[in-house]
Amino acid sequence: MKMRRVLLVVLLVGGFYFLTTHMTPSGKIGNWIQKMVPGDSTTAMKGPLGAFHMTVASAAPEFDAEEQNNINVYKRVLPSVVNVTSTTVQFDFFYGPVPQQGMGTGFVIDKEGHILTNNHVIQDGQRIEVTLNDKHKYKAQVVQIDKSHDLALLQINAPNLVPVTLADSKNIVVGQKVYAIGNPFGLNGTMTRGIVSALRSVRGPTGSAIDNAIQTDAAINPGNSGGPLLNSRGEVIGINTMIASNGSDQSAGIGFAIPINTARAFVDDIARYGHVRRPALDVVTLPIGPDIADQLGLAADYGVLVERVLPGGAAEKAGLKGGSQRAYMGNTPVMIGGDLIVAIDGQEITSQQDISDVMNSHKAGDTVSVTIFRGRRKVEVKATLSEARDRQA
């Protein structure tokens, strides 16, 4: 009886050894096991260099919630993103015409074929063409441009267009997730993602100020200009316009987008008046914080100090005063001694961005109440907003 048990153990061990050393997963037993047990499978290929055993997934991958949202945003918005080509004709040494093309991005905002993009994408273009995601190409008409805000509105005649959804850029906060879709370096339909890194005023490609510019670390490169910057729901919060590249002409993780509310105000003006009538207070200002206020002996530790009023503008007509004394902040010259704006229509003003927000809720010809400190005296001034002029602020 004892010998039988020993023989049984030997047979079991020997059988296990045989199965594991001679009948690998690429053999019959292995295939049978793979069929019975779900999971990855191993395939073997034999050739002159020997056998290659590769593990192959047996099922389609499952996406986590974040991946699935990325995919959903891309699928939702891609049909609305277009490639914008601007063709200009220059002349060579022998005065022969040489067509040159610039490329950028745009996005469809309605079924009538209106497309938003940057002005610098189509500037000086003698022929503008738009290529949709389905590869159909259409000649585009320039409806209107706004050089100051680097905006352009185009229109094409095409069927079955899919417009984007526009968000409210006043609700943007630093840290929220964003996506950029465009055609960097001509690579159509490229999506990148990142976060809102900051909200700040910057100089646009033409040198004009962009108030409330959305800074992002989502990769933006040449060709992305004019494309949408999106929130996590796939709604447009900005128009990608430029990068801080430190001379390398490619993304360094610092890109900027024009807030979509600025573009909405641009489109609203065109719809109402047929041209742009952006309101303006016509002032050049300096943001004030507690330290500067203390140094200058100002009556409030916040607001914007009026350095200069533009001749003939709304501020000058309302009696606002600019600075009269030159001073320096570091190496930057500033004019001090002017009025300190602390509120407009009861809304606290702490920066040029706050003024821009107020302007976006008004139109040229509206009258606003401006609260200022002139010296130590608090004054309410009525100002009728003028129509903004293209200028270097």
Side-chain angles (χ1 to χ4, degrees), residues 119 123 146-150 202-211 278 282-285 307-311 352 388-393:
N119 177 58
Q123 192 170 13
D146 181 353
K147 292 181 180 179
S148 255
H149 290 94
D150 193 24
V202 297
R203 294 283 178 182
T206 61
S208 297
I210 301 176
D211 294 324
R278 292 176 292 106
D282 298 321
V283 288
V284 177
T285 60
E307 287 193 81
R308 182 162 56 95
V309 295
L310 300 185
Q352 293 99 332
R389 295 165 284 177
D390 292 327
R391 65 179 187 274
Q392 304 295 317

Side-chain angles (χ1 to χ4, degrees), residues 101-150:
Q101 285 190 335
M103 296 184 65
T105 307
F107 53 92
V108 178
I109 62 171
D110 60 25
K111 290 184 175 294
E112 287 69 43
H114 290 108
I115 292 167
L116 273 172
T117 187
N118 285 139
N119 177 58
H120 77 260
V121 169
I122 57 98
Q123 192 170 13
D124 300 324
Q126 294 160 325
R127 180 180 176 87
I128 313 296
E129 290 183 320
V130 166
T131 305
L132 302 181
N133 181 57
D134 62 9
K135 309 306 180 186
H136 285 87
K137 185 178 291 187
Y138 298 90
K139 183 178 179 180
Q141 173 192 358
V142 179
V143 178
Q144 190 62 257
I145 63 171
D146 181 353
K147 292 181 180 179
S148 255
H149 290 94
D150 193 24

Side-chain angles (χ1 to χ4, degrees), residues 14-30:
F16 178 77
Y17 175 80
F18 179 80
L19 287 173
T20 56
T21 58
H22 291 78
M23 302 190 74
T24 64
S26 61
K28 294 181 179 179
I29 297 297

Side-chain angles (χ1 to χ4, degrees), residues 35-360:
K35 290 179 182 178
M36 296 298 293
V37 180
D40 296 341
S41 61
T42 302
T43 60
M45 296 184 66
K46 295 182 179 180
L49 298 180
F52 294 85
H53 297 87
M54 295 171 289
T55 302
V56 181
S58 60
E62 293 185 3
F63 303 110
D64 63 28
E66 186 175 16
E67 289 175 320
Q68 191 59 58
N69 189 64
N70 296 344
I71 294 167
N72 292 342
V73 168
Y74 185 73
K75 287 183 176 180
R76 175 182 177 184
V77 180
L78 185 63
S80 308
V81 179
V82 303
N83 186 12
V84 180
T85 305
S86 174
T87 304
T88 60
V89 177
Q90 298 186 359
F91 296 90
D92 60 19
F93 181 78
F94 300 101
Y95 295 99
V98 181
Q100 294 192 348
Q101 285 190 335
M103 296 184 65
T105 307
F107 53 92
V108 178
I109 62 171
D110 60 25
K111 290 184 175 294
E112 287 69 43
H114 290 108
I115 292 167
L116 273 172
T117 187
N118 285 139
N119 177 58
H120 77 260
V121 169
I122 57 98
Q123 192 170 13
D124 300 324
Q126 294 160 325
R127 180 180 176 87
I128 313 296
E129 290 183 320
V130 166
T131 305
L132 302 181
N133 181 57
D134 62 9
K135 309 306 180 186
H136 285 87
K137 185 178 291 187
Y138 298 90
K139 183 178 179 180
Q141 173 192 358
V142 179
V143 178
Q144 190 62 257
I145 63 171
D146 181 353
K147 292 181 180 179
S148 255
H149 290 94
D150 193 24
L151 294 169
L153 183 66
L154 313 179
Q155 188 172 21
I156 60 173
N157 183 14
N160 304 318
L161 293 172
V162 181
V164 296
T165 299
L166 305 181
D168 185 348
S169 54
K170 283 195 300 186
N171 298 323
I172 297 172
V173 295
V174 174
Q176 76 176 78
K177 188 186 300 180
V178 291
Y179 303 89
I181 299 182
N183 308 305
F185 301 112
L187 301 172
N188 297 348
T190 298
M191 182 171 83
T192 56
R193 70 171 189 164
I195 62 169
V196 174
S197 305
L199 299 170
R200 66 177 83 249
S201 293
V202 297
R203 294 283 178 182
T206 61
S208 297
I210 301 176
D211 294 324
N212 288 334
I214 306 165
Q215 182 182 325
T216 178
D217 64 350
I220 297 174
N221 286 288
N224 273 114
S225 289
L229 186 69
L230 309 155
N231 61 21
S232 58
R233 294 180 298 279
E235 301 162 342
V236 181
I237 61 171
I239 302 176
N240 300 316
T241 188
M242 68 177 191
I243 56 176
S245 59
N246 200 24
S248 64
D249 202 28
Q250 61 187 18
S251 176
I254 302 177
F256 296 97
I258 300 166
I260 198 61
N261 283 10
T262 301
R264 287 170 61 179
F266 163 64
V267 174
D268 287 347
D269 274 359
I270 296 170
R272 290 180 183 179
Y273 313 114
H275 64 281
V276 180
R277 288 193 65 195
R278 292 176 292 106
L281 191 56
D282 298 321
V283 288
V284 177
T285 60
L286 174 71
I288 294 298
D291 290 342
I292 298 177
D294 184 59
Q295 293 174 28
L296 299 180
L298 300 176
D301 63 359
Y302 68 95
V304 294
L305 190 65
V306 179
E307 287 193 81
R308 182 162 56 95
V309 295
L310 300 185
E316 185 182 66
K317 292 177 179 177
L320 290 176
K321 305 295 183 183
S324 57
Q325 304 172 46
R326 182 180 293 272
Y328 286 87
M329 293 182 61
N331 294 323
T332 304
V334 296
M335 296 299 294
I336 62 174
D339 294 332
L340 178 65
I341 300 175
V342 293
I344 299 177
D345 281 347
Q347 179 178 326
E348 187 175 277
I349 300 296
T350 61
S351 66
Q352 293 99 332
Q353 295 179 10
D354 291 337
I355 294 179
S356 178
D357 287 341
V358 173
M359 295 302 105
N360 282 336

